[in-house]
Amino acid sequence: MRQIPVDTANATVMVAKAPQPKVKDRRTGEIALDKDGTALMTVEVMFSTPDEVEILKLTVPEPGVSEDLAMGTPVVLTGLVASPWENEFNGQKRHGIAFRAIAVTSLADGASKPKAA
């Protein structure tokens, strides 16, 4: 699947919803892991450019998520990429864009660094 780098240089980004573990299977509550076995988190951010504001749901490896990311915290996104996806469920085709970042780091004063791996 193609990954498209996202330029964040002219964007203001802040947390819209605190990080949550990414759930792989809603029935069992199983947490999603990346190919290296690292737990994944979901972080919703407000991504604002001079022309538009969007809420993006990002997938981020747990060690790349700063502690104390509360709603409204300004953040910087490292390695943000967008990947188009498409699937079929119950005969209906669905498509969208998935966003993934290497890290979401707080810009608030006194913020802690991303968790060590």
Side-chain angles (χ1 to χ4, degrees):
M1 174 169 24
R2 178 165 166 79
Q3 292 186 335
I4 304 160
V6 177
D7 181 10
T8 61
N10 293 322
T12 299
V13 185
M14 62 178 70
V15 176
K17 185 176 180 184
Q20 312 248 328
K22 183 175 175 102
V23 177
K24 178 179 181 179
D25 186 333
R26 290 181 191 165
R27 291 172 296 164
T28 65
E30 180 183 359
I31 302 301
L33 305 175
D34 67 9
K35 65 182 185 308
D36 299 322
T38 303
L40 296 172
M41 302 291 285
T42 299
V43 183
E44 292 185 37
V45 298
M46 181 191 76
F47 191 90
S48 174
T49 63
D51 300 329
E52 171 171 17
V53 175
E54 299 230 11
I55 300 294
L56 303 181
K57 186 182 277 191
L58 312 176
T59 298
V60 185
E62 186 175 24
V65 177
S66 282
E67 293 178 18
D68 302 325
L69 289 184
M71 189 168 102
T73 304
V75 294
V76 64
L77 306 176
T78 303
L80 181 62
V81 294
S83 302
W85 60 269
E86 181 176 281
N87 65 23
E88 189 170 330
F89 184 74
N90 288 337
Q92 293 186 332
K93 285 193 176 188
R94 300 183 66 197
H95 59 88
I97 299 173
F99 293 93
R100 185 174 175 117
I102 294 168
V104 177
T105 308
S106 174
L107 293 175
D109 290 340
S112 43
K113 302 286 185 220
K115 299 171 191 166

Short mmCIF file of all heavy atoms in Angstrom, two decimals, residues 6-13 47 76-77 80:
data_model
loop_
_atom_site.label_atom_id
_atom_site.label_comp_id
_atom_site.label_asym_id
_atom_site.label_seq_id
_atom_site.Cartn_x
_atom_site.Cartn_y
_atom_site.Cartn_z
N VAL A 6 2.82 13.55 4.71
CA VAL A 6 1.97 14.71 4.93
C VAL A 6 2.83 15.85 5.48
O VAL A 6 3.51 15.68 6.49
CB VAL A 6 0.82 14.40 5.91
CG1 VAL A 6 -0.03 15.63 6.18
CG2 VAL A 6 -0.04 13.26 5.37
N ASP A 7 2.80 17.00 4.80
CA ASP A 7 3.57 18.17 5.22
C ASP A 7 2.82 18.87 6.36
O ASP A 7 1.68 19.30 6.20
CB ASP A 7 3.74 19.12 4.04
CG ASP A 7 4.55 20.36 4.38
OD1 ASP A 7 5.15 20.41 5.47
OD2 ASP A 7 4.59 21.27 3.54
N THR A 8 3.47 18.96 7.51
CA THR A 8 2.84 19.60 8.67
C THR A 8 3.44 20.98 8.97
O THR A 8 3.09 21.60 9.97
CB THR A 8 3.00 18.71 9.92
OG1 THR A 8 4.38 18.53 10.18
CG2 THR A 8 2.33 17.36 9.72
N ALA A 9 4.34 21.47 8.09
CA ALA A 9 5.08 22.70 8.35
C ALA A 9 4.17 23.91 8.58
O ALA A 9 4.45 24.74 9.44
CB ALA A 9 6.05 22.98 7.21
N ASN A 10 3.09 24.04 7.84
CA ASN A 10 2.22 25.21 7.96
C ASN A 10 0.92 24.90 8.72
O ASN A 10 -0.05 25.63 8.59
CB ASN A 10 1.87 25.74 6.57
CG ASN A 10 3.09 26.31 5.88
OD1 ASN A 10 3.94 26.94 6.51
ND2 ASN A 10 3.21 26.06 4.59
N ALA A 11 0.93 23.83 9.50
CA ALA A 11 -0.28 23.43 10.23
C ALA A 11 -0.12 23.69 11.72
O ALA A 11 0.97 23.62 12.27
CB ALA A 11 -0.56 21.95 9.99
N THR A 12 -1.25 23.98 12.35
CA THR A 12 -1.32 24.02 13.80
C THR A 12 -2.02 22.73 14.19
O THR A 12 -3.09 22.41 13.66
CB THR A 12 -2.15 25.23 14.28
OG1 THR A 12 -1.50 26.42 13.82
CG2 THR A 12 -2.28 25.25 15.78
N VAL A 13 -1.41 21.98 15.11
CA VAL A 13 -1.95 20.68 15.48
C VAL A 13 -2.12 20.63 17.00
O VAL A 13 -1.21 21.00 17.74
CB VAL A 13 -1.02 19.53 15.02
CG1 VAL A 13 -1.65 18.18 15.31
CG2 VAL A 13 -0.69 19.67 13.53
N PHE A 47 -6.18 19.27 13.02
CA PHE A 47 -5.13 19.64 12.07
C PHE A 47 -5.63 20.88 11.33
O PHE A 47 -6.55 20.80 10.52
CB PHE A 47 -4.91 18.47 11.10
CG PHE A 47 -3.70 18.60 10.23
CD1 PHE A 47 -2.47 18.10 10.65
CD2 PHE A 47 -3.79 19.20 8.98
CE1 PHE A 47 -1.36 18.20 9.83
CE2 PHE A 47 -2.68 19.30 8.17
CZ PHE A 47 -1.46 18.80 8.59
N VAL A 76 3.42 18.28 18.03
CA VAL A 76 4.10 18.15 16.76
C VAL A 76 4.01 16.69 16.35
O VAL A 76 4.09 15.79 17.20
CB VAL A 76 5.57 18.66 16.83
CG1 VAL A 76 6.40 17.81 17.76
CG2 VAL A 76 6.19 18.70 15.46
N LEU A 77 3.78 16.46 15.06
CA LEU A 77 3.66 15.11 14.53
C LEU A 77 4.93 14.75 13.77
O LEU A 77 5.35 15.49 12.88
CB LEU A 77 2.46 15.01 13.59
CG LEU A 77 1.12 15.46 14.16
CD1 LEU A 77 0.04 15.41 13.09
CD2 LEU A 77 0.74 14.63 15.37
N LEU A 80 4.41 11.83 9.78
CA LEU A 80 3.00 11.62 9.42
C LEU A 80 2.87 11.20 7.96
O LEU A 80 3.40 11.86 7.07
CB LEU A 80 2.20 12.90 9.68
CG LEU A 80 0.70 12.83 9.38
CD1 LEU A 80 0.00 11.80 10.26
CD2 LEU A 80 0.07 14.21 9.55
#
